Every structure is written in C-alpha cells, then in structure tokens.
Amino acid sequence: MKIDNFNDRVAVITGGAAGIGRALAELLQEGGATVVIADLPGETLDATALDLGITAIACDVSDATAMDSLAAQVMQRHGKVDLLFNNAGVGFQQSLYKMSLRDWRWVFDVNFWGVVHGLNSFLPHLTTNPDGAYVVNTASLLSLYTNSALAAYAASKYAVLAVTETLAREMELTDGKVGVTAFCPGPIQTTIYGSLDRRDQRYGPPPTSDATDDPVMKALGHIMDAKRMSARDAAQIALDAVRNGRFWAITHPEYTQQIAPEHDALMAEIERQRSSQALSKAPLA
C-alpha cells in the first residue's frame, strides 16, 4: 500500500508542535492534506497551529484515554483518518546504573506506550478507510543498534520497531489497504534534546549527570556532537517512503556501520551452533 497523493487526505501527527512533527505538518499541508497536530498543551502547540492554520489538539500520548479522545475528535470533525504519524517521543541519556525506575517509565510511557495508544485508538478507523490508509511509527536509528547511556531510549525504540514490523506483517495478511513505515531518524535538528525540561512531575525531578566524571556519558559525546539534519529534510524522507510504500525510512545510512558486524557475529554464532548440533547427532564411525 502506498499513498502517492496527499490531496484531501486527513493526517494526524502526534508530537506535531515542533521538530519533525511540525515539518511533517508543513509538507503534508503543502501537498493538500488536512492536518491535525497533537502535542502537550502549551504555547508551542498553539503557535504552530496559528502559524500553519491547522487544527491542534492538546494530548498526552502516554494517556490512553486522551488518545481515544483525540481519535474521536478527529473523526467527529473530518469523518475519516488517512494517515497516522506516531511521532511523539522524548530523548534521554543517562548511565544505566544511575537510572531510576521513574526514568524508565517516563521514556517508555511516551516512546513506546504512546505508539501503542495511537494504534489502539486509530487502527479501527484506518483499517475501515475505503480509500486505504497509512501508519508511520517514528522509531530511530537506535532501534537498530545502541550505544552507551542510551539504554532506556534505545530499548523503547527497539520495542517500537518490533510493533511496527508486526503491524506491517499483519496488514499484509488482511486486505493490504494499510501501509506501514518504520521511520528511523538519526541526529535531527529538533527539540527532543530538551525533553527533560518537559518531563511530567509524576516522574519526579529530572536526573542530573556530570559528563566530565562519567566515562559512560563521555562515550556518548560523539553522538551528541554529530551534525544534525534539518527536520524538513528528515520529514521528506519519511513522506517519500509513504509515497512509495516502503517499510524503511532511514535518514543517516552513514551512521549504521555497526549493524553489519553485529549481524555477522550473530549469524556466525548461529552457524557455529548449527555445526555443533550436526556433529553431536552424527553417527559414530
């Protein structure tokens, strides 16, 4: 399934007030789509809606009831949903041994459960859309590999990728009228790097870490200092995947060098085990 023309399509974007979400909104609107952005309440959401002249609905994706309300409002106003972008997310960097359970819950509540809530609330409408529909889940390059100080973030994105791969297979087994893309951005010019400033009080005060005396955080430095792609360029890559019905949308192939050696090591171990089992079953001479 692909959607190569956004004219008269209704698109819902979580995390749509800034960064990649806003860039998606701008590009979709330019393509003729009716766009609804959802994000935490505040000046950024209101300003983006005003700037673009689009509908904004305050919504915390970690709240299943709020997501149900979002879907109901969209259906009431527009009568359909054609494109769902589960894009809301938070960034978090911390040494694994210094993380609290509240840190883990915050990251997973937004990054993972936000996607699950989005699918649970919108799939009934997407799968019954007679014109076909599309889902883009924002995972990350760090759904393919991880690095120091990124345990919670990468784990949440690994989980998003697993859900997205499963969804794609299930949609193929049905009528094939819902396309699915796993969007895996690398370093992008977004506000995700300031996520701790927007952390809800229920997760407690944000942690502090001095990278100067933490070797784990120091090892993250080259990632944080990497050149960042514009949000608009990243959003264009995601929309190109939608237009062409591609599962993968990857912004920074140059940052994926460690995937191949990890895959090779896994396959080598599988082959070693296969050979070992074959030898153990071989008849004695």
Side-chain angles (χ1 to χ4, degrees), residues 188-265:
I188 308 294
Q189 296 171 14
T190 75
T191 59
I192 195 172
Y193 304 97
S195 296
L196 283 173
D197 296 334
R198 301 182 294 277
R199 174 166 157 152
D200 193 275
Q201 294 180 353
R202 69 181 184 273
Y203 300 106
T208 58
S209 179
D210 184 359
T212 61
D213 63 0
D214 188 337
V216 175
M217 293 298 288
K218 283 182 180 179
L220 185 66
H222 71 285
I223 295 178
M224 301 305 294
D225 295 336
K227 184 178 180 180
R228 298 174 186 174
M229 177 184 289
S230 74
R232 188 177 177 90
D233 286 345
Q236 188 64 68
I237 290 170
L239 294 181
D240 284 346
V242 175
R243 290 189 183 95
N244 292 281
R246 293 195 303 266
F247 178 77
W248 294 105
I250 295 175
T251 63
H252 290 74
E254 67 272 25
Y255 291 156
T256 62
Q257 301 95 326
Q258 74 184 74
I259 296 175
E262 290 179 357
H263 177 267
D264 292 346

Side-chain angles (χ1 to χ4, degrees), residues 12-281:
V12 177
I13 307 167
T14 67
I20 292 174
R22 173 168 177 152
L24 285 167
E26 292 173 350
L27 289 169
L28 285 162
Q29 186 182 45
E30 291 169 12
T34 297
V35 180
V36 178
I37 58 171
D39 214 315
L40 294 175
E43 294 180 0
T44 303
L45 179 62
D46 296 339
T48 298
L50 183 62
D51 288 347
L52 302 184
I54 58 178
T55 300
I57 298 175
C59 178
D60 180 351
V61 298
S62 70
D63 183 341
T65 301
M67 287 297 286
D68 283 344
S69 175
L70 172 64
Q73 290 180 67
V74 172
M75 292 301 295
Q76 182 178 22
R77 296 183 186 193
H78 303 290
K80 66 172 184 173
V81 180
D82 298 292
L83 299 121
L84 171 65
F85 295 83
N86 283 313
N87 174 73
V90 294
F92 183 67
Q93 306 87 39
Q94 180 63 282
S95 304
L96 179 59
Y97 64 95
K98 293 184 178 180
M99 288 171 54
S100 70
L101 290 179
R102 284 182 171 182
D103 296 335
W104 282 97
R105 290 189 178 113
W106 171 54
V107 174
F108 267 79
D109 279 354
V110 179
N111 291 359
F112 173 68
W113 283 108
V115 171
V116 173
H117 294 158
L119 295 176
N120 189 65
S121 298
F122 282 94
L123 272 179
H125 308 300
L126 295 166
T127 55
T128 55
N129 188 322
D131 299 318
Y134 214 99
V135 175
V136 177
N137 290 338
T138 300
S140 169
L141 284 185
L142 292 168
S143 66
L144 305 173
Y145 62 90
T146 188
N147 211 316
S148 62
L150 293 167
Y153 181 80
S156 69
K157 294 300 186 177
Y158 269 60
V160 168
L161 181 57
V163 168
T164 308
E165 289 181 320
T166 303
L167 177 65
R169 289 179 178 145
E170 291 185 356
M171 293 299 98
E172 289 174 357
L173 292 171
T174 56
D175 57 11
K177 292 186 67 176
V178 177
V180 180
T181 287
F183 180 32
C184 299
I188 308 294
Q189 296 171 14
T190 75
T191 59
I192 195 172
Y193 304 97
S195 296
L196 283 173
D197 296 334
R198 301 182 294 277
R199 174 166 157 152
D200 193 275
Q201 294 180 353
R202 69 181 184 273
Y203 300 106
T208 58
S209 179
D210 184 359
T212 61
D213 63 0
D214 188 337
V216 175
M217 293 298 288
K218 283 182 180 179
L220 185 66
H222 71 285
I223 295 178
M224 301 305 294
D225 295 336
K227 184 178 180 180
R228 298 174 186 174
M229 177 184 289
S230 74
R232 188 177 177 90
D233 286 345
Q236 188 64 68
I237 290 170
L239 294 181
D240 284 346
V242 175
R243 290 189 183 95
N244 292 281
R246 293 195 303 266
F247 178 77
W248 294 105
I250 295 175
T251 63
H252 290 74
E254 67 272 25
Y255 291 156
T256 62
Q257 301 95 326
Q258 74 184 74
I259 296 175
E262 290 179 357
H263 177 267
D264 292 346
L266 172 62
M267 297 309 296
E269 176 59 20
I270 290 172
E271 186 56 37
R272 189 190 71 79
Q273 289 287 351
R274 184 179 290 126
S275 299
S276 176
Q277 292 174 15
L279 285 173
S280 68
K281 294 176 181 178

